[in-house]
């Protein structure tokens, strides 16, 4: 092993480290495909207003349920709107809301889990039982309750989704912390008299960060599915904003003769979820062989 | 001579790195094992000794492959054999005893059932015969009442008993060759001596050949007829154990033997600088070149071949072995500065008791103590400034427990910890003030665990500097560089992560971190037991040097009496959380001593085939200290009867000034032990 070479690698800044992780992820076919799908969706979501050939809310009864043609690539829906336009824009809301939702889930779930893992004792017991209690409530019922009380605005959806998807992260973060706090370097920091905050920040987070990030990436895809289910049930995005869940719900009844109005959003939604899942998997593998566990040779 | 049963021919084993280079773990090994012979393979971690032993049973770890050569068991090459053929040999002809028997036994199956499984696989005995054989095997490994042991689960046995069961299982198939991979490394000194004695007996009794892999020359010296010394994947010295240990003609073995602390010698052993080359380093010359005292220009570019020397019956891989031939390796060790320690108390433990039992809520409210028999009890020790006091005992003796409570990591039940005469240290870490926290620092056993793997050396060392002295920027950096120089590491180590450091370097960083706080007392918890011998000597020397420079007080916990002898001024011997004996180290190592100290001293393994351990007491493990009487009553071979069982023994002071807690009169003890 060339020690000096590896030291240089470690001195690279954070950007090149991220780049290196991305490179490792892309080196496996599954990771490469996942990344491609994810990047494609993100680009599509951000550029779709400029790419869309028609207005997404332009209703024209004369164009009702047209089959795909050179003019309307994916056909039109029951209100005569262009399915292609609505499909490429249908991921925008879902992606944004779930992205910020998972960030919130990561933050509160991760920090609470680490805190409980470190402190232990009665506080840990109480918090974990409360988390368990919440885990036993079907989230969709709770979400429906929240949404019907507070409305379906973004300010309600993001924290609510973040809360319900963070519960699982609490457990993961707590377990990862338990692995770390048994190590002597935590005992050493305690014996020196560092505060809990300082121990969490300096000693624990660097060692559990990877596990929590991967868990967060997985939650993102679950949350996306959850959010689309809400839209499907009519509690997510309000019409006429295009959304896959909503589109599937609207076109579902006409599926037997206007299949195109269903297929396009289904493909959009499932490909994004597959993309995120593959990326999260590759991310986990890339981090797993990186950093502390990397073999010296 | 007797028949050769295992022959290794030009064996090279390696792996392919990510870049596609072939990296060799074993390089061109040739050796053979005769029937009935015990061969010890010794080397530092990473020298390839375990890989060689595994290859001898036809096993190559995943990721590794044989690049050249063969392993012949009688005349069949094990490395080319199909799995099906290997199954017929493994267990029946060649058996293996792993390092950690506790992990190699299935936890949810009874001992008897597990041995029965091995018997079913390797023999054609009927059920009744197998049952008899199980008793016979358990008897052979000297387990008490085999019938009851057979019905127990692995966790109900002690470490030594588990290891014996592993031996019994290995013997089930009547193997001709037994491979032992560090079989006693995790065991207590006394248990280790007993297991080695058992292995010796089995080798003689059954005529089984043994290959004994260990880093511990002391253990190897007790069992082997022949020793192979490995370094960096090569055999550097091979020959009869007596000539290897008495006349080590390879500079590595010579240095290794010098760096082992010995009971008979006070003072620190000489250390061997440097470390083994990493696998994959391209070497033109001798692999030991960097660390060798005898190196010449020739050694840099020419690799020495194994050369057989007739009069010593030894093969050596060195150009200059002749200059070592007549040298005596047991020279006087580096003498410590025997500074007379002034009566200047820095830490005082008064009636310290520590209990792991949890108080029930109701008892907490009523302020009632329930545990009348705490883990650690009645510890009274005065520690003077600048002294090194060692706490010695087997596992479960409470030595680390005492250390933790001094550090404030464990609440005490009773008693006081007084610091610098006037301040009582709270047993609650949060109630201690920052200067008291700074004054007491800890160094841990395993540097892999005590350094945060995601921090580089700079970050690790800046933690205490920021916390206690509020340093930042240039000043912080300057201090870190100074610290690194103190532990003899260069500035360029700052950007390295723990995984890029060797074991010794990691422990140096841990030492530097402790010294960063400018402490008055450093608590050392088995700081050298995870290190290789040559590194251990270097760390001990470093600790002594730092102590001379800064006047730090060490409280040194260890199970290794030879290490303790080397570094400490005073020794306290603990059994089951009770003090047995305390006194200046040179007195503790002489008789009369407490019967428990006698047991410990007798079990120390010296790297000398002529010094056999004296096994005074049985290695029974007691789970709880006795409610009354002497703590050592259960294992004492000199027990007086009811008096020892009922009355707490008094402290007696010997002529030389050490205190012994025993009912037997000092003069009688002296007569008994001489």
């Amino acid at each position: 092993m060339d020690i000096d070479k590896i030291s240089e690698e470690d001195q690279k800044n954070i950007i090149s480290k991220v780049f290196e992780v991305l490179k490792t992820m892309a080196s496996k076919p599954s990771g490469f495909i996942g990344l491609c799908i994810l990047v494609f969706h993100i680009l599509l979501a951000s550029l779709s207003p400029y790419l869309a050939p028609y207005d997404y809310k332009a209703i024209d009864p004369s164009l009702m349920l047209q089959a795909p043609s050179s003019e309307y690539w994916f056909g039109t829906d029951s209100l005569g709107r262009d399915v292609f336009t609505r499909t490429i824009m249908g991921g925008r809301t879902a992606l944004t809301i779930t992205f910020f939702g998972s960030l919130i889930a990561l933050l509160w779930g991760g920090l609470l889990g680490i805190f409980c893992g470190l402190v232990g004792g009665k506080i840990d017991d109480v918090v974990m039982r409360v988390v368990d209690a919440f885990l036993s409530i079907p989230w969709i019922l709770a979400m429906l309750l929240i949404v019907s009380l507070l409305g379906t605005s973004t300010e309600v959806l993001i924290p609510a989704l973040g809360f319900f998807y963070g519960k699982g992260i609490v457990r993961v973060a707590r377990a990862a912390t338990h692995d770390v706090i048994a190590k002597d370097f935590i005992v050493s920091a305690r014996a020196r008299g560092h505060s809990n905050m300082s121990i969490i920040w300096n000693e624990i987070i660097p060692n559990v960060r990877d596990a929590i990030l991967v868990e967060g990436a997985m939650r993102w895809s679950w949350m996306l599915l959850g959010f689309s289910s809400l839209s499907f049930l009519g509690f997510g995005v309000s019409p006429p904003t295009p959304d896959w869940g909503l589109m599937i719900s609207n076109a579902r009844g006409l599926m037997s003769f206007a299949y195109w109005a269903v297929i396009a959003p289904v493909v959009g939604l499932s490909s994004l979820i597959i993309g995120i899942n593959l990326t999260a998997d590759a991310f986990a593998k890339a981090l797993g062989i990186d950093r502390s566990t990397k073999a010296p040779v | 001579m007797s028949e050769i049963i295992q022959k290794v021919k030009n064996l090279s084993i390696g792996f392919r790195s990510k870049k596609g280079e072939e990296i060799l773990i074993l390089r061109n090994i040739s050796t053979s094992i005769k029937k009935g012979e015990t061969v010890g393979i010794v080397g530092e971690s990473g020298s390839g000794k375990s890989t060689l032993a595994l290859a001898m049973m036809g096993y190559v770890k995943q990721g590794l492959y044989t690049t050249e050569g063969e392993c012949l068991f009688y005349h069949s090459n094990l490395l080319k054999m199909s799995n099906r053929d290997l199954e017929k040999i493994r267990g029946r002809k060649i058996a293996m005893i792993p390092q950690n028997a506790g992990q190699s036994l299935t936890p949810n199956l009874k001992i008897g059932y597990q041995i029965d499984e091995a018997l079913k696989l390797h023999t054609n005995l009927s059920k009744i015969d197998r049952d008899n054989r199980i008793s016979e095997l358990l008897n052979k490994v000297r387990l008490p009442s085999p019938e009851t042991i057979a019905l127990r689960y692995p966790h109900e046995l002690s470490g030594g008993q588990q290891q014996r069961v592993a031996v019994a299982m290995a013997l089930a198939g009547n193997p001709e060759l037994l491979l032992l991979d560090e079989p006693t490394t995790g065991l207590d000194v006394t248990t280790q001596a007993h297991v080695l004695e058992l292995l010796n007996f089995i080798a003689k009794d059954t005529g089984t050949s043994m290959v004994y892999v260990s880093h511990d020359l002391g253990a190897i010296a007790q069992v082997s007829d022949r020793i192979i010394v490995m370094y960096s994947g090569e055999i550097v010295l091979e020959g009869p154990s007596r000539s290897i240990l008495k006349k080590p003609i390879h500079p590595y073995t010579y240095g290794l033997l010098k760096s082992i602390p010995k009971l008979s010698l006070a003072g620190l052993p000489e250390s061997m600088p440097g470390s083994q080359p990493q696998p994959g380093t391209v070497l033109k010359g001798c692999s030991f070149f960097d660390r060798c005292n005898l190196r010449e220009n020739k050694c840099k570019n020419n690799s020495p071949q194994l050369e057989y020397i007739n009069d010593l019956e030894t093969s050596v891989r060195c150009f200059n072995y002749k200059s070592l031939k007549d040298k005596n390796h047991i020279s006087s060790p580096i003498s410590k500065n025997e500074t007379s320690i002034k009566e200047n108390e820095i830490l005082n433990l008064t009636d310290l008791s520590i209990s792991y039992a949890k108080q029930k809520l109701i008892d907490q409210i009523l302020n009632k103590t329930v545990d009348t028999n705490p883990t650690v009890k009645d510890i009274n020790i005065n520690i003077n400034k600048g002294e090194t006091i060692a706490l010695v005992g087997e596992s479960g003796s409470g030595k680390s427990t005492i250390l933790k409570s001094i550090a404030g990591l464990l609440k005490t039940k009773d008693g006081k910890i007084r610091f610098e005469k006037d301040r009582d240290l709270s047993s609650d870490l949060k109630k201690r003030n920052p200067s008291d926290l700074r004054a007491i620092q800890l160094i841990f056993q395993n540097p892999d665990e005590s350094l945060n793997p995601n921090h580089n050396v700079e970050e690790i060392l800046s933690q205490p500097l920021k916390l206690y002295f509020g340093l930042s920027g240039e000043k912080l950096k300057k201090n870190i560089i100074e610290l690194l120089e103190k532990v003899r590491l260069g500035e360029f180590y700052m950007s390295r992560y723990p995984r890029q450091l060797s074991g010794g370097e990691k422990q140096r960083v841990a030492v530097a971190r402790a010294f960063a706080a400018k402490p008055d007392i450093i608590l050392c918890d088995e700081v050298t037991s995870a290190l290789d011998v040559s590194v251990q000597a270097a760390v001990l020397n470093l600790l002594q040097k730092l102590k001379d420079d800064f006047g730090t007080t060490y409280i040194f916990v260890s199970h290794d009496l030879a290490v303790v002898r080397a570094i400490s001024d005073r020794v306290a011997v603990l059994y089951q959380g009770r003090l047995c004996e305390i006194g200046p180290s040179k007195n503790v190592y002489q008789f009369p001593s407490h019967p428990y100290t006698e047991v410990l001293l007798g079990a120390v393994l010296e790297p000398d085939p002529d010094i056999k351990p004296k096994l005074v007491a049985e290695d029974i493990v007691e789970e709880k200290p006795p409610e009354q009487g002497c703590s050592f009553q259960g294992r004492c071979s000199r027990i007086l009867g009811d008096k020892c069982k009922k009355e707490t023994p008094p402290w007696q002071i010997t002529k030389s000034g050490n205190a012994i807690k025993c009912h037997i009169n000092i003069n009688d003890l002296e007569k008994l032990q001489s």
Side-chain angles (χ1 to χ4, degrees):
Chain A
M1 171 179 72
D2 195 340
I3 286 182
D4 298 307
K5 228 177 225 166
I6 291 191
S7 309
E8 277 165 32
E9 268 174 38
D10 281 315
Q11 278 169 18
K12 282 186 214 156
N13 55 29
I14 185 92
I15 296 167
S16 57
K17 268 181 192 162
V18 170
F19 185 71
E20 202 180 311
V21 171
L22 284 176
K23 217 169 88 183
T24 324
M25 285 166 69
S27 66
K28 290 254 167 64
S30 61
F32 182 73
I33 294 170
L35 272 175
C36 284
I37 296 176
L38 187 59
V39 169
F40 172 75
H41 271 287
I42 290 171
L43 284 178
L44 202 62
S46 38
L47 301 177
S48 52
Y50 312 102
L51 297 177
Y54 300 96
D55 182 2
Y56 68 86
K57 53 181 187 287
I59 297 171
D60 188 347
S62 64
L63 294 170
M64 234 166 66
L65 297 174
Q66 298 253 336
S69 62
S70 59
E71 210 173 329
Y72 299 101
W73 294 353
F74 291 175
T76 58
D77 66 6
S78 55
L79 297 174
R81 297 174 294 198
D82 179 34
V83 175
F84 177 72
T85 304
R86 290 182 65 81
T87 303
I88 63 172
M89 293 183 73
R92 283 167 64 87
T93 333
L95 257 178
T96 326
I97 286 184
T98 53
F99 179 75
F100 288 106
S102 354
L103 272 189
I104 287 180
L106 257 186
L107 270 179
W108 87 262
L111 287 178
L112 185 65
I114 292 172
F115 180 76
C116 286
L118 177 68
V119 177
K122 299 216 170 68
I123 299 177
D124 180 41
D125 278 349
V126 171
V127 173
M128 288 319 289
R129 291 304 80 75
V130 171
V131 169
D132 285 349
F134 270 110
L135 276 173
S136 64
I137 303 173
W139 70 272
I140 196 127
L141 284 184
M143 278 302 292
L144 290 181
L145 186 70
I146 291 173
V147 169
S148 41
L149 284 177
L150 303 171
T152 58
S153 63
T154 319
E155 300 87 71
V156 174
L157 282 173
I158 291 181
L161 283 167
F163 173 74
F164 278 101
Y165 282 85
K167 292 173 307 187
I169 297 181
V170 177
R171 305 190 71 112
V172 172
R174 180 169 167 270
T177 309
H178 274 180
D179 281 348
V180 176
I181 56 166
K183 300 272 167 72
D184 283 340
F185 60 85
I186 303 286
V187 183
S188 168
R190 268 198 181 144
R192 280 199 300 271
H194 283 286
S195 64
N196 274 348
M197 270 320 284
S198 150
I199 292 179
I200 288 178
W201 190 249
N202 285 317
E203 310 287 346
I204 298 179
I205 287 187
N207 288 297
V208 299
R209 186 187 50 205
D210 295 353
I212 296 178
L213 277 179
V214 168
E215 184 63 24
M218 293 310 285
R219 297 280 152 179
W220 186 17
S221 77
W222 296 0
M223 197 186 280
L224 198 77
L225 198 61
F227 175 74
S228 298
S229 312
L230 275 183
S231 297
F232 181 83
L233 295 174
F235 291 92
V237 178
S238 2
T241 316
D243 179 83
W244 292 327
L246 199 59
M247 287 164 75
I248 296 169
S249 161
N250 288 342
R252 172 177 61 119
L254 314 165
M255 205 154 66
S256 52
F257 53 93
Y259 56 85
W260 54 86
V262 176
I263 285 179
V266 164
V267 169
L269 180 60
S270 39
S271 69
L272 178 55
I273 287 171
I274 291 170
I276 294 178
N277 272 335
L278 289 177
T279 311
D281 267 349
F283 185 49
K285 277 181 194 139
L287 290 176
I289 55 156
D290 195 22
R291 309 285 299 182
S292 52
T293 47
K294 198 198 292 180
V297 183
Chain B
M1 272 307 266
S2 45
E3 195 187 357
I4 287 173
I5 64 167
Q6 167 85 267
K7 197 174 183 122
V8 180
K9 259 195 198 161
N10 303 330
L11 181 67
S12 294
I13 288 180
F15 63 96
R16 219 165 266 289
S17 73
K18 269 188 195 159
K19 290 172 199 146
E21 298 160 67
E22 192 172 87
I23 292 170
L24 294 182
I25 299 284
L26 289 182
R27 288 185 284 160
N28 209 358
I29 303 272
S30 295
T31 187
S32 58
I33 289 143
K34 295 191 192 89
K35 210 174 176 70
E37 185 186 38
T38 302
V39 177
I41 303 180
V42 73
E44 287 174 59
S45 44
S47 61
K49 52 189 192 306
S50 292
T51 311
L52 175 58
L54 287 173
M56 284 181 175
M57 73 184 297
Y59 181 77
V60 178
K61 273 188 199 155
Q62 219 174 9
L64 299 180
Y65 60 90
T66 319
T67 57
E68 204 195 336
E70 46 194 8
C71 266
L72 302 171
F73 182 71
Y74 287 101
H75 296 290
S76 37
N77 184 2
L78 295 175
L79 296 171
K80 287 247 169 74
M81 233 178 235
S82 69
N83 277 336
R84 185 169 282 222
D85 289 337
L86 275 174
E87 277 165 21
K88 284 182 194 148
I89 290 180
R90 288 183 186 154
R92 276 182 225 192
K93 301 271 170 62
I94 306 179
M96 170 114 189
I97 297 173
Q99 172 172 353
N100 194 333
Q103 280 177 16
S104 67
L105 295 171
T106 313
N108 57 354
L109 295 177
K110 287 173 184 159
I111 298 295
Y113 185 84
Q114 296 195 41
I115 299 177
D116 194 40
E117 266 188 334
L119 284 171
K120 259 191 235 165
L121 202 62
H122 302 310
T123 62
N124 302 319
L125 299 175
S126 66
K127 177 84 185 94
I128 298 161
D129 286 344
R130 284 205 307 267
D131 282 344
N132 289 334
R133 182 94 176 105
I134 291 171
S135 302
E136 198 185 307
L137 283 168
L138 290 173
N139 241 327
K140 198 171 209 163
V141 296
R142 298 186 201 151
L143 281 167
S145 51
E147 285 76 19
T148 43
I149 291 272
L151 294 177
R152 295 222 181 131
Y153 289 99
H155 71 267
E156 294 174 303
L157 306 181
S158 69
Q161 287 174 327
Q162 286 173 346
Q163 197 65 50
R164 280 160 205 252
V165 171
V167 174
M169 267 173 91
L171 292 176
N174 275 327
E176 291 175 53
L177 178 64
L178 207 51
L179 301 169
L180 303 109
D181 192 359
E182 305 260 9
T184 60
T185 303
L187 305 175
D188 271 323
V189 256
T190 48
T191 317
Q192 164 168 315
H194 276 97
V195 171
L196 287 176
E197 207 248 334
L198 171 73
L199 291 173
N200 261 335
F201 166 77
I202 285 170
K204 281 205 195 82
D205 190 50
T206 58
T208 312
S209 309
M210 289 192 191
V211 173
Y212 191 102
V213 177
S214 179
H215 69 285
D216 184 355
L217 270 170
I220 293 256
Q222 300 309 319
V223 290
S224 352
D225 306 316
R226 208 152 54 82
I227 294 179
I228 295 173
V229 183
M230 296 200 53
Y231 187 79
S232 188
E234 285 179 318
I235 294 179
V236 292
L237 190 64
E238 177 178 0
S241 54
R242 193 165 302 270
S243 56
I244 299 272
L245 295 167
K246 299 261 175 178
K247 286 214 177 304
I249 51 172
H250 190 278
Y252 171 64
T253 320
Y254 182 82
L256 204 60
L257 279 163
K258 272 201 144 178
S259 60
I260 299 175
K262 290 166 200 77
L263 263 194
S264 44
L265 299 165
L268 294 161
E270 257 176 61
S271 64
M272 200 167 20
S275 58
Q276 228 174 172
Q278 292 285 344
T281 323
V282 184
L283 293 167
K284 263 207 277 177
C286 175
S287 53
F288 190 59
F289 180 76
D290 291 336
R291 300 171 75 182
C292 187
N293 295 328
L294 305 172
R295 64 175 167 221
E296 290 173 0
N297 280 337
K298 178 166 69 170
C299 309
K300 190 167 186 179
N301 295 317
N302 302 302
S303 176
Q305 295 301 310
L306 264 185
E307 194 180 331
Y308 186 74
I309 296 140
N310 271 322
D311 57 335
L312 290 173
E313 296 174 45
T314 302
S315 305
V316 62
R317 193 186 289 274
C318 181
F319 293 121
N320 293 328
Y321 70 86
K322 283 198 184 87
S323 60
L324 284 172
K325 226 171 158 181
D326 304 312
K327 248 170 132 179
N328 180 12
H329 71 280
I330 309 170
S331 59
S332 56
I334 309 160
S335 62
K336 264 187 315 184
N337 289 351
E338 290 276 345
T339 41
S340 54
I341 288 133
K342 285 171 213 137
E343 289 279 318
N344 183 10
E345 181 191 295
I346 187 163
L347 193 75
N348 181 309
L349 310 178
T350 317
D351 294 332
L352 197 68
S353 301
I354 305 158
S355 170
Y356 280 105
K358 268 193 182 164
Q359 258 188 321
K360 282 182 194 151
L361 192 64
I362 184 88
D363 294 324
Q364 268 179 14
I365 296 165
L366 297 172
N367 205 5
K368 206 164 69 175
T369 42
V370 192
D371 192 13
T372 50
N373 198 19
T375 317
V376 170
K377 198 178 165 189
D378 295 337
I379 302 293
N380 287 295
I381 305 177
N382 257 324
I383 296 159
N384 289 321
K385 206 172 166 57
E387 123 180 284
T388 302
I389 183 161
L391 306 179
V392 178
E394 290 166 292
S395 49
S397 63
K399 49 194 194 312
S400 294
T401 308
I402 296 174
L403 217 58
K404 275 192 194 144
S405 62
I406 296 174
L409 293 165
L410 204 63
K411 283 194 179 130
T412 54
K413 187 169 151 290
D414 283 312
K416 275 181 183 160
I417 304 171
R418 203 168 63 229
F419 180 58
E420 287 185 332
K421 288 178 189 162
D422 51 351
R423 270 175 291 163
D424 276 342
L425 289 181
S426 162
S427 70
D428 188 355
L429 199 64
K430 295 210 170 82
K431 288 185 191 143
R432 292 193 180 180
N433 64 40
S435 83
D436 288 346
L437 285 170
R438 182 196 56 75
I440 300 178
Q441 292 291 315
L442 261 163
I443 307 176
F444 294 87
Q445 172 175 8
N446 191 345
D448 286 327
E449 287 213 342
S450 68
L451 304 178
N452 190 335
N454 278 306
H455 284 174
N456 63 23
V457 171
E458 183 179 359
E459 286 168 302
I460 289 168
L461 293 181
S462 62
Q463 300 269 1
L465 291 170
K466 279 187 199 160
L467 180 72
Y468 298 127
F469 307 110
L471 295 180
S472 62
E474 275 305 302
K475 232 177 171 178
L476 179 70
K477 207 167 172 183
K478 215 182 108 220
N479 261 285
I480 291 172
I481 296 169
E482 262 173 36
L483 277 169
L484 282 173
E485 275 162 9
K486 269 182 209 157
V487 296
R488 288 175 216 151
L489 294 173
E491 187 184 333
F492 54 97
Y493 278 91
M494 275 174 49
S495 58
R496 293 200 184 163
Y497 284 87
R499 65 168 182 276
Q500 298 161 350
L501 305 175
S502 70
E505 286 168 336
K506 275 182 236 171
Q507 198 61 299
R508 277 161 200 270
V509 173
V511 169
R513 180 174 63 187
F515 272 94
K518 303 205 169 74
D520 299 303
I521 300 173
I522 292 191
L523 311 172
C524 305
D525 191 0
E526 301 265 13
V527 287
T528 61
S529 51
L531 305 173
D532 278 319
V533 217
S534 65
V535 181
Q536 163 176 298
V539 170
L540 288 177
N541 277 305
L542 175 71
L543 285 173
Q544 185 64 34
K545 169 92 179 33
L546 289 168
K547 183 189 150 175
D548 292 342
D549 292 353
F550 298 99
T552 324
T553 309
Y554 288 141
I555 303 179
F556 199 93
V557 159
S558 180
H559 69 280
D560 189 333
L561 284 155
V563 167
V564 164
R565 171 87 164 128
I567 194 148
S568 64
D569 304 311
R570 219 145 54 96
V571 177
V573 181
L574 288 153
Y575 185 75
Q576 296 278 1
R578 277 87 173 134
L579 272 176
C580 294
E581 180 170 356
I582 184 165
S585 60
K586 58 176 188 293
N587 297 340
V588 170
Y589 286 84
Q590 279 164 2
F591 295 127
S593 9
H594 189 280
Y596 179 55
T597 319
E598 191 190 353
V599 171
L600 285 180
L601 286 174
V604 172
L605 304 172
E606 300 257 2
D608 186 335
D610 295 329
I611 305 177
K612 294 276 171 212
K614 290 188 267 311
L615 305 176
V616 191
E618 279 301 309
D619 60 327
I620 321 156
V621 172
E622 295 179 276
E623 279 175 4
K624 269 182 95 179
E627 292 274 349
Q628 50 180 359
C630 173
S631 60
F632 191 54
Q633 52 176 283
R635 284 171 65 187
C636 188
S637 59
R638 307 196 185 283
I639 190 161
L640 292 177
D642 262 4
K643 196 176 180 187
C644 294
K645 287 187 178 156
K646 298 245 164 75
E647 291 170 37
T648 310
W651 281 106
Q652 302 185 65
I653 313 288
T654 64
K655 274 173 265 168
S656 43
N658 58 327
I660 295 173
K661 198 176 189 182
C662 186
H663 280 301
I664 307 171
N665 188 285
I666 291 274
N667 297 329
D668 294 346
L669 258 182
E670 194 161 14
K671 264 180 236 153
L672 283 168
Q673 288 169 338
S674 60

